[in-house]
Amino acid sequence: MTTYWAEQAWVGGVVEPGVVLETETSGGLLAAVRTGTAAPPPGATVLRGLTLPGLANAHSHAFHRALRGTVQVGSGTFWTWRKVMYGVADRLTPDTYYELARAVYAEMALAGITCVGEFHYVHHAPGGARYDDPNAMGHVLIAAAAAAGIRLTLLDTAYLAGGFGEPPGRQQLRFSDGDAEAWAERAADLRPDASAAGSTGTTRIGAAVHSVRAVPAAQLAAVAGWAADRRAPLHVHLSEQPGENEACAAAHGVTPTRLLADHGVLGLRTTAVHATHLTADDVKLLGGSGTGVCMCPTTERDLADGIGPAVAVERAGSPLSLGSDSHAVVDLFEETRALELNERLRTRRRGHWTAHHLLRAATESGYAALGWDAPARLEPGGLADFTTVALDSVRTVGPMPRLGAETAVFAATAADVRHTVVGGRHVVRDGVHALVEDVPGALAAAIGALRG
């Protein structure tokens, strides 16, 4: 056993003082959770502040981190941003992607993120040539997450077309396997345990449909079937832009959501990412099928995508999760409060969700969307993944401890994270990463290597 003592902890939806967390060294689970312990037991590691279940970043494109700042010059739209993104993707190699992803995942750990869903579609070499290991790029992502000490759900993505009825463009060739059958054959050979020391038990393999633009309608069912056969999570970019909806209507006479429903993509293990521009019927289809929705507010506002109908889809039956997507910032507290604050701006009314509800979206709902069966809660049998937020920084000091959840959601930032524990392992201690010595330096070197 490894024993931690949390000064304050969010247990069962309540902030409790003096909580003992006993973790299993081998299984990575919580063996015991005891509240009302006034002082740390002998030998316990002390966690000052508010300890929460680990934060789940349900939607990431690790290489987009190299775009931060660069894409803020001038103006434009999602489509002009995409051209810059393609340029960075074109310069990735297995070696440079490992270094970048390791640094990005370490940045996530410093931000209290204990689990990430990597929406991975840069599969091949520029021009589409296959590496000797067809999953070389996926395997370096698995190795990078293990090296940074966080859990990973690798969402291997089918990206087969350049648009409705269009072949992949030159810069999209490295994303494409040609057809869904070839994609499935390659994805089936992903082997987490063989990819990185320490990855056993901390990696899951899932699937993704990049979008209805990038996977022809006749091949959607094959991707969904691959995931269903493995009981794996399935994610899909959905209606991020009005242009996607218009092109889908022109090609198929229906919305993207209806197209996914007609081809068996929606369901309890499916998560729609963004879901920004939905019709009322779309909302009913998502909610009625139990399809989750992952909102990425900082990216959606950075790209001027719009504000998605989060309240409506959740009321219809879709569980909500959160992601940092393009990594304009890596801060799940910012993503979490943005969900509520965006609704306040849109409706001019406050209080759509409680802080406790929002924390569940940022923790256990995200883990569930990424295919982790053990509960991401501070309870016996739950994953021993947790993060501690300072309650004495200039941003968080002042409120009574019992308001710790409200303080974390509406005032804290990633800079307030003091500790991150994954599977009982202390990955970030007192704001310092235990495995990556110089995270800013690692980021600078990795991004610098990709400059054209």
Side-chain angles (χ1 to χ4, degrees):
M1 296 288 182
T2 300
T3 301
Y4 295 88
W5 180 82
E7 185 178 37
Q8 307 285 335
W10 189 59
V11 180
V14 177
V15 175
E16 298 276 6
V19 178
V20 173
L21 303 167
E22 292 185 351
T23 69
E24 298 176 2
T25 304
S26 57
L29 301 176
L30 285 164
V33 177
R34 298 194 300 274
T35 60
T37 306
T45 298
V46 175
L47 306 174
R48 295 288 180 189
L50 173 66
T51 296
L52 305 166
L55 303 174
N57 185 354
H59 190 68
S60 163
H61 301 288
F63 76 92
H64 288 188
R65 175 62 178 82
L67 298 169
R68 188 183 295 177
T70 302
V71 291
Q72 307 306 328
V73 178
S75 61
T77 65
F78 167 86
W79 306 104
T80 54
W81 169 89
R82 191 174 70 159
K83 292 179 181 178
V84 181
M85 179 270 288
Y86 282 161
V88 173
D90 211 38
R91 293 191 288 274
L92 291 171
T93 68
D95 289 341
T96 60
Y97 205 6
Y98 170 79
E99 295 297 337
L100 178 60
R102 172 178 169 268
V104 173
Y105 295 152
E107 180 183 2
M108 290 184 194
L110 289 171
I113 293 165
T114 51
C115 183
V116 59
E118 184 63 36
F119 200 100
H120 166 56
Y121 57 83
V122 186
H123 301 306
H124 309 298
R130 273 45 175 173
Y131 293 108
D132 291 340
D133 170 9
N135 284 303
M137 297 295 264
H139 285 151
V140 300
L141 290 169
I142 293 169
I150 68 173
R151 296 185 194 271
L152 169 73
T153 296
L154 185 69
L155 298 160
D156 195 278
T157 303
Y159 193 134
L160 309 173
F164 295 99
E166 299 177 10
R170 181 187 65 80
Q171 290 180 306
Q172 297 165 323
L173 287 172
R174 73 180 308 188
F175 310 157
S176 177
D177 291 291
D179 58 35
E181 182 178 352
W183 166 82
E185 182 178 354
R186 179 188 52 74
D189 285 337
L190 277 165
R191 293 288 181 267
D193 295 351
S195 302
S199 68
T200 304
T202 60
T203 302
R204 297 284 185 273
I205 303 298
V209 169
H210 179 273
S211 59
V212 293
R213 302 189 315 274
V215 178
Q219 300 187 57
L220 289 170
V223 182
W226 188 94
D229 290 345
R230 291 161 175 77
R231 300 187 63 80
L234 175 64
H235 288 217
V236 54
H237 289 139
L238 177 64
S239 292
E240 184 176 2
Q241 287 288 326
E244 176 182 300
N245 292 356
E246 293 160 6
C248 187
H252 297 288
V254 295
T255 66
T257 304
R258 171 57 70 180
L259 189 68
L260 295 174
D262 289 347
H263 290 274
V265 177
L266 304 185
L268 295 174
R269 285 191 298 276
T270 300
T271 297
V273 181
H274 302 302
T276 308
H277 302 282
L278 303 179
T279 67
D281 185 55
D282 292 340
V283 170
K284 291 177 182 177
L285 286 170
L286 292 171
S289 62
T291 299
V293 172
C294 177
M295 295 289 184
C296 306
T298 65
T299 291
E300 288 148 8
R301 71 191 184 197
D302 182 57
L303 298 182
D305 286 342
I307 299 172
V311 171
V313 293
E314 187 178 48
R315 286 177 178 170
S318 293
L320 296 178
S321 56
L322 294 155
S324 64
D325 190 6
S326 70
H327 312 313
V329 297
V330 172
D331 189 337
L332 258 288
F333 297 110
E334 178 64 21
E335 306 292 348
T336 303
R337 69 173 148 265
L339 202 63
E340 166 68 23
L341 298 183
N342 283 353
E343 282 296 315
R344 292 183 184 185
L345 287 174
R346 192 172 64 83
T347 64
R348 291 179 292 173
R349 186 172 63 82
R350 304 172 77 239
H352 300 273
W353 293 280
T354 66
H356 297 274
H357 195 130
L358 292 168
L359 281 177
R360 284 193 290 274
T363 56
E364 62 182 287
S365 292
Y367 269 81
L370 295 175
W372 294 86
D373 297 328
R377 297 189 293 271
L378 300 183
E379 62 181 37
L383 291 167
D385 296 1
F386 37 93
T387 185
T388 303
V389 182
L391 294 179
D392 59 357
S393 77
V394 293
R395 289 165 293 277
T396 60
V397 73
M400 293 180 288
R402 65 180 177 83
L403 297 176
E406 287 77 8
T407 303
V409 170
F410 292 105
T413 72
D416 295 309
V417 171
R418 292 294 174 264
H419 302 279
T420 302
V421 174
V422 182
R425 181 187 194 187
H426 213 150
V427 176
V428 173
R429 186 189 297 264
D430 293 320
V432 178
H433 203 289
L435 304 176
V436 180
E437 183 176 352
D438 177 10
V439 178
L443 285 164
I447 294 168
L450 292 174
R451 290 199 177 100

